[in-house]
Protein backbone atom coordinates (compact mmCIF):
# COMPACT_ATOMS: atom_id res chain seq x y z
CA UNK A 1 0.00 0.00 0.00
CA UNK A 2 1.28 3.44 -0.95
CA UNK A 3 1.80 5.87 1.93
CA UNK A 4 0.53 9.27 0.85
CA UNK A 5 0.95 11.04 4.15
CA UNK A 6 2.74 14.36 3.69
CA UNK A 7 5.95 14.66 5.72
CA UNK A 8 5.98 16.96 8.73
CA UNK A 9 7.63 20.36 8.66
CA UNK A 10 10.70 20.39 10.93
CA UNK A 11 12.86 23.18 12.32
CA UNK A 12 15.70 22.82 14.81
CA UNK A 13 17.63 25.01 17.21
CA UNK A 14 21.18 23.90 18.11
CA UNK A 15 22.38 23.65 21.70
CA UNK A 16 23.68 26.96 23.06
CA UNK A 17 27.13 25.49 23.78
CA UNK A 18 28.92 22.59 22.12
CA UNK A 19 28.35 19.38 24.05
CA UNK A 20 25.24 20.62 25.89
CA UNK A 21 21.80 19.04 25.63
CA UNK A 22 19.65 22.15 25.31
CA UNK A 23 18.79 22.15 21.61
CA UNK A 24 15.25 21.70 20.33
CA UNK A 25 13.17 20.52 17.40
CA UNK A 26 9.75 21.81 16.40
CA UNK A 27 7.64 19.45 14.29
CA UNK A 28 4.41 20.42 12.54
CA UNK A 29 2.28 17.51 11.39
CA UNK A 30 0.16 17.48 8.24
CA UNK A 31 -3.17 15.75 7.80
CA UNK A 32 -6.04 15.59 10.29
CA UNK A 33 -5.58 16.06 14.03
CA UNK A 34 -5.09 15.19 16.73
CA UNK A 35 -1.54 13.94 16.19
CA UNK A 36 0.95 11.84 18.11
CA UNK A 37 4.66 12.58 17.74
CA UNK A 38 7.29 10.01 18.72
CA UNK A 39 10.93 11.13 18.71
CA UNK A 40 13.53 8.36 18.50
CA UNK A 41 17.31 8.39 18.46
CA UNK A 42 19.21 6.69 15.63
CA UNK A 43 19.16 3.40 17.57
CA UNK A 44 15.36 3.46 17.68
CA UNK A 45 15.15 4.31 21.39
CA UNK A 46 12.18 6.54 22.14
CA UNK A 47 13.34 9.92 23.44
CA UNK A 48 9.88 11.49 23.87
CA UNK A 49 6.23 11.08 22.91
CA UNK A 50 4.04 14.16 22.51
CA UNK A 51 0.30 14.10 21.79
CA UNK A 52 -0.96 17.28 20.14
CA UNK A 53 -4.30 18.77 19.21
CA UNK A 54 -2.83 21.89 17.58
CA UNK A 55 -0.63 20.10 15.02
CA UNK A 56 2.79 20.85 16.44
CA UNK A 57 5.19 19.39 18.95
CA UNK A 58 8.31 20.85 20.50
CA UNK A 59 11.09 18.55 21.72
CA UNK A 60 13.42 20.34 24.13
CA UNK A 61 16.62 19.21 25.84
CA UNK A 62 18.19 17.71 22.72
CA UNK A 63 21.89 17.14 22.27
CA UNK A 64 23.42 17.54 18.84
CA UNK A 65 22.81 14.46 16.74
CA UNK A 66 20.41 12.63 14.47
CA UNK A 67 16.84 11.74 15.39
CA UNK A 68 13.75 10.35 13.69
CA UNK A 69 10.27 11.65 14.37
CA UNK A 70 7.21 9.52 13.63
CA UNK A 71 3.96 11.45 13.19
CA UNK A 72 0.58 9.73 13.29
CA UNK A 73 -2.63 11.67 12.66
CA UNK A 74 -6.26 10.90 13.56
CA UNK A 75 -6.75 9.01 10.28
CA UNK A 76 -3.89 6.64 11.28
CA UNK A 77 -1.71 8.11 8.56
CA UNK A 78 1.89 7.73 9.73
CA UNK A 79 5.01 9.32 8.32
CA UNK A 80 8.61 9.65 9.50
CA UNK A 81 11.13 12.41 9.09
CA UNK A 82 14.85 12.56 9.86
CA UNK A 83 15.94 15.40 12.13
CA UNK A 84 19.49 16.63 12.59
CA UNK A 85 20.32 18.92 15.51
CA UNK A 86 23.68 20.46 14.70
CA UNK A 87 26.37 21.22 17.25
CA UNK A 88 27.38 24.87 17.49
CA UNK A 89 30.97 25.78 16.74
CA UNK A 90 33.10 24.50 19.61
CA UNK A 91 34.50 27.11 21.93
CA UNK A 92 38.26 27.51 21.64
CA UNK A 93 40.50 29.24 24.13
CA UNK A 94 43.61 30.70 22.60
CA UNK A 95 46.46 31.73 24.89
CA UNK A 96 49.54 33.51 23.60
CA UNK A 97 52.40 33.19 23.79
CA UNK A 98 51.97 29.43 23.62
CA UNK A 99 55.01 28.66 25.80
CA UNK A 100 56.14 31.83 27.55
CA UNK A 101 59.66 31.86 28.88
CA UNK A 102 60.68 34.67 31.21
CA UNK A 103 64.02 35.57 32.69
CA UNK A 104 63.97 35.83 36.47
CA UNK A 105 62.60 39.24 37.39
CA UNK A 106 61.22 39.77 33.88
CA UNK A 107 57.65 40.10 32.75
CA UNK A 108 55.41 38.48 30.15
CA UNK A 109 51.95 39.34 28.93
CA UNK A 110 49.58 36.38 28.70
CA UNK A 111 46.70 36.91 26.29
CA UNK A 112 43.54 34.82 26.06
CA UNK A 113 40.77 35.41 23.55
CA UNK A 114 37.38 34.10 22.50
CA UNK A 115 35.20 35.07 25.46
CA UNK A 116 33.57 37.89 27.38
CA UNK A 117 34.92 37.06 30.86
CA UNK A 118 38.27 35.66 31.92
CA UNK A 119 39.51 34.18 35.19
CA UNK A 120 43.17 33.27 35.70
CA UNK A 121 44.04 31.03 38.64
CA UNK A 122 46.08 31.30 40.75
CA UNK A 123 46.10 35.09 40.75
CA UNK A 124 49.71 34.93 41.94
CA UNK A 125 52.00 37.42 40.25
CA UNK A 126 49.43 38.78 37.82
CA UNK A 127 48.53 42.45 37.64
CA UNK A 128 44.88 41.27 37.35
CA UNK A 129 43.34 37.81 37.23
CA UNK A 130 40.05 38.93 35.66
CA UNK A 131 41.24 40.35 32.34
CA UNK A 132 42.10 38.84 28.96
CA UNK A 133 45.76 39.95 29.01
CA UNK A 134 47.33 39.97 32.47
CA UNK A 135 51.00 40.74 32.98
CA UNK A 136 53.04 38.05 34.75
CA UNK A 137 55.99 39.17 36.89
CA UNK A 138 57.59 36.60 39.19
CA UNK A 139 60.77 34.68 39.91
CA UNK A 140 59.36 31.14 39.82
CA UNK A 141 57.51 28.92 37.37
CA UNK A 142 53.70 29.06 37.59
CA UNK A 143 51.00 27.05 35.84
CA UNK A 144 47.81 29.01 35.36
CA UNK A 145 44.32 27.75 34.64
CA UNK A 146 42.36 30.14 32.45
CA UNK A 147 38.57 29.86 32.58
CA UNK A 148 36.73 31.72 29.86
CA UNK A 149 33.00 32.34 29.65
CA UNK A 150 31.12 33.54 26.57
CA UNK A 151 28.12 35.86 26.52
CA UNK A 152 25.92 32.74 26.12
CA UNK A 153 27.34 31.16 29.29
CA UNK A 154 29.58 28.61 27.59
CA UNK A 155 32.63 27.81 29.75
CA UNK A 156 36.01 26.40 28.76
CA UNK A 157 39.25 25.91 30.70
CA UNK A 158 42.83 25.66 29.54
CA UNK A 159 46.23 25.72 31.22
CA UNK A 160 49.27 27.89 30.59
CA UNK A 161 52.71 27.20 32.05
CA UNK A 162 55.03 30.18 32.45
CA UNK A 163 58.67 29.11 32.70
CA UNK A 164 61.12 31.34 34.56
CA UNK A 165 64.84 31.01 33.86
CA UNK A 166 67.61 32.26 36.10
CA UNK A 167 69.87 34.81 34.44
Amino acid sequence: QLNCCPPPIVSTTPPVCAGHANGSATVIGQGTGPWVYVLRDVNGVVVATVPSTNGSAIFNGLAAGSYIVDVTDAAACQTSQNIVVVNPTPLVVSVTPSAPNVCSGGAATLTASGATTYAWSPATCLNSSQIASPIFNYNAQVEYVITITTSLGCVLKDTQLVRVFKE
Side-chain angles (χ1 to χ4, degrees), residues 8-83:
I9 299 167
V10 175
S11 64
T12 61
T13 302
V16 172
C17 305
H20 288 198
N22 57 5
S24 66
T26 301
V27 183
I28 301 172
Q30 307 298 305
T32 306
W35 298 262
V36 175
Y37 299 84
V38 178
L39 185 68
R40 298 179 285 125
D41 66 16
V42 291
N43 298 315
V45 176
V46 174
V47 175
T49 300
V50 176
S52 174
T53 56
N54 69 1
S56 66
I58 298 174
F59 297 98
N60 290 311
L62 301 180
S66 297
Y67 301 88
I68 300 163
V69 65
D70 298 319
V71 181
T72 305
D73 71 7
C77 185
Q78 183 177 11
T79 186
S80 297
Q81 180 75 32
N82 291 328
I83 297 174

Side-chain angles (χ1 to χ4, degrees), residues 14-18 86-92 154:
V16 172
C17 305
V86 298
N87 217 354
T89 303
L91 183 60
V92 175
C154 303

